[in-house]
Amino acid sequence: MSPSNTFVIVGGGLAAGKAAEALRKEGHSGPLLIVGDEQERPYIRPPLSKGYLLGKEERDSIFVHSEDWYTEHEVELLLGTSARVVDPGAKEVELDGGRRVAYDKLLLATGSSPRRLAVPGADLDNVLYLRRVGQSERLKATFTKGARIVVIGGGWIGLETAAAARTAGAEVTVLEHSELPLLKVLGREAAEVFAALHRDHGVALRPHAEVERLTGSDGRVDGVQLADGTHLDADAVVVGIGITPNVRLAQEAGLEVRDGIVTDAHLRTSAADIFAAGDVANAYHPVLDRHLRVEHWANALNQPGTAALSMLGKEAVYDRLPYFYTDQYDLGMEYTGYVEPGGSDRVVFRGDTAAREFIAFWMSGNRVLAGMNVNVWDVIDPIRDLVLSRADIDDARLSDPGVPLDTLVT
């Protein structure tokens, strides 16, 4: 270990900011650098499709730390700077312009990027994506009363942006490749709840939609041409068709990459002294006994604590269950657990799905794999306990609101 004991973090999101915080808290006193390709200091992304996009949160609220925090904790921010090359042999990161930064420990928190739409016209102006704060601000300016917005993709980002656009008074159409938004993620009954929510708020849902091309004039999008011959007029098109982990640095450095940067439960990669956390990490999960890459805020929030301890040579594993949440109109939802596609045999409901006040449990045999609470609060901890217990639980008791959740595990 060199006398300087320099730790470098590549990435500018929540995982980078929390990793720096954890490293200082756990006793790292050497040089600490964050390399981020955005001009902004590390910030949190969920508000970009939720509160900040809706105008309910101020810009300052999205940042992980104040500007002063980095100065006070002697964290050097290299913003607007891309890491071009990682050299594990020399233990150096090459930056824009050729500068090389030596590291003793390196954390890759490079996150992910939106999948690009690959049809003619996709490069027209006002074809919008959502991953960065500037993109959220552009969407906010575009979502105005009467604006015609076509959203391509019925996943979480697509539905959250659709809700924000409708709340602003825009006319919104969501194009979904399958029969229902979120069908593959949630299954039919739960997906129907979200479809009904958006229909009730005036969103036009078009299932089995296949985009042939985007049309435009003077370089600006003016519509979406579907394969069935339908043409939808649009003042803007929002694309939400998934994200891709940013693995180029890791791949070119010779690290093991498989749907993200592969790590063990300690968040160590296949290269010595290089770690990964957040969206980009395909980490071994000791509870679920499988590698898992989770594209949600909770991982970016919590994984850095484990990574920091591991970077400092302390024993730590990341074993928290996946968790995510959404806010759309008057619906709030939390979900915890993990279900592989086709991994559950049924969904058990407790409460009133029509009123959108319920808990859903994804089951395999008599075991709860995951749970989702919709407009029912203060239950995420007992749901997590049910999943972790691996206990046999009777459907009748699970679905009975009169049976407290915390009594189901003995």
Side-chain angles (χ1 to χ4, degrees):
M1 186 177 289
S2 72
S4 66
N5 199 18
T6 299
F7 284 21
V8 175
I9 300 167
V10 177
L14 174 60
K18 295 304 286 187
E21 177 185 326
L23 283 166
R24 287 301 190 223
K25 180 182 177 183
E26 296 297 335
H28 176 63
S29 57
L32 179 54
L33 288 75
I34 294 178
V35 180
D37 62 4
E38 295 186 64
Q39 295 293 342
E40 309 286 353
R41 66 187 185 273
Y43 63 88
I44 307 165
R45 298 189 193 276
L48 305 187
S49 63
K50 298 179 177 72
Y52 185 60
L53 180 58
L54 288 163
K56 295 179 179 178
E57 297 177 28
E58 297 299 319
R59 199 175 198 276
D60 280 352
S61 71
I62 71 172
F63 295 105
V64 183
H65 301 295
S66 68
E67 285 188 62
D68 292 345
W69 184 91
Y70 296 95
T71 304
E72 291 166 4
H73 291 83
E74 297 182 320
V75 177
E76 184 179 354
L77 291 176
L78 300 178
L79 302 180
T81 304
S82 293
R84 292 172 47 188
V85 176
V86 170
D87 184 340
K91 296 185 76 170
E92 291 180 337
V93 179
E94 182 180 317
L95 309 179
D96 286 337
R99 176 185 172 189
R100 295 178 75 88
V101 176
Y103 67 83
D104 292 276
K105 300 288 172 67
L106 172 65
L107 176 65
L108 297 176
T110 47
S112 53
S113 298
R115 250 184 229 124
R116 311 298 289 187
L117 186 64
V119 299
D123 56 350
L124 289 165
D125 187 38
N126 245 26
V127 177
L128 307 175
Y129 294 81
L130 179 56
R131 189 65 185 167
R132 300 191 169 201
V133 62
Q135 294 170 326
S136 179
E137 289 164 352
R138 189 168 178 190
L139 287 174
K140 193 189 301 186
T142 304
F143 292 167
T144 57
K145 187 174 177 61
R148 298 165 302 178
I149 307 297
V150 176
V151 179
I152 300 176
W156 296 114
I157 290 294
L159 293 187
E160 287 176 358
T161 53
R166 274 303 292 151
T167 300
E171 299 174 12
V172 181
T173 300
V174 173
L175 306 180
E176 168 56 39
H177 191 66
S178 65
E179 183 183 347
L180 289 167
L182 303 173
L183 180 61
K184 187 176 179 181
V185 179
L186 299 180
R188 177 170 300 278
E189 290 169 281
E192 283 281 14
V193 171
F194 285 89
L197 171 72
H198 281 268
R199 289 193 198 101
D200 289 351
H201 283 86
V203 173
L205 300 179
R206 293 189 69 102
H208 304 301
E210 185 178 341
V211 177
E212 191 173 83
R213 61 191 172 92
L214 305 186
T215 61
S217 57
D218 300 322
R220 186 182 178 91
V221 74
D222 64 16
V224 179
Q225 183 70 43
L226 301 182
D228 65 3
T230 303
H231 183 269
L232 303 171
D233 294 333
D235 298 304
V237 173
V238 181
V239 181
I241 54 175
I243 60 177
T244 303
N246 295 327
V247 297
R248 182 192 62 79
L249 277 176
Q251 204 156 30
E252 292 178 358
L255 276 62
E256 184 181 358
V257 170
R258 187 179 66 252
D259 182 31
I261 303 171
V262 176
T263 80
D264 61 14
H266 309 280
L267 301 180
R268 301 177 299 207
T269 72
S270 59
D273 299 320
I274 301 181
F275 304 77
D279 281 5
V280 78
N282 185 4
Y284 178 74
H285 197 290
V287 174
L288 300 171
D289 191 24
R290 55 162 292 148
H291 277 82
L292 193 64
R293 189 174 66 83
V294 179
E295 301 170 350
H296 297 294
W297 157 89
N299 260 33
L301 176 70
N302 296 307
Q303 274 190 345
T306 299
L309 289 169
S310 296
M311 292 170 79
L312 291 166
K314 300 178 181 180
E315 182 64 27
V317 298
Y318 188 75
D319 57 4
R320 292 177 69 98
L321 288 176
Y323 167 91
F324 68 93
Y325 71 99
T326 190
D327 295 306
Q328 299 172 34
Y329 311 109
D330 56 353
L331 181 148
M333 179 276 278
E334 297 175 290
Y335 178 106
T336 190
Y338 175 74
V339 182
E340 286 186 87
S344 67
D345 49 48
R346 68 193 182 285
V347 182
V348 174
F349 290 87
R350 166 188 289 230
D352 190 340
T353 56
R356 296 194 274 267
E357 292 183 5
F358 65 91
I359 306 172
F361 302 93
W362 280 261
M363 307 294 293
S364 177
N366 288 329
R367 231 184 96 199
V368 178
L369 302 178
M372 177 177 78
N373 49 297
V374 173
N375 288 343
V376 176
W377 303 111
D378 301 321
V379 293
I380 200 67
D381 287 339
I383 291 173
R384 186 179 290 115
D385 291 342
L386 285 173
V387 176
L388 291 172
S389 74
R390 301 173 180 261
D392 282 347
I393 300 171
D394 177 71
D395 282 15
R397 297 186 71 220
L398 194 60
S399 62
D400 184 352
V403 179
L405 290 178
D406 57 8
T407 66
L408 291 171
V409 180
T410 55

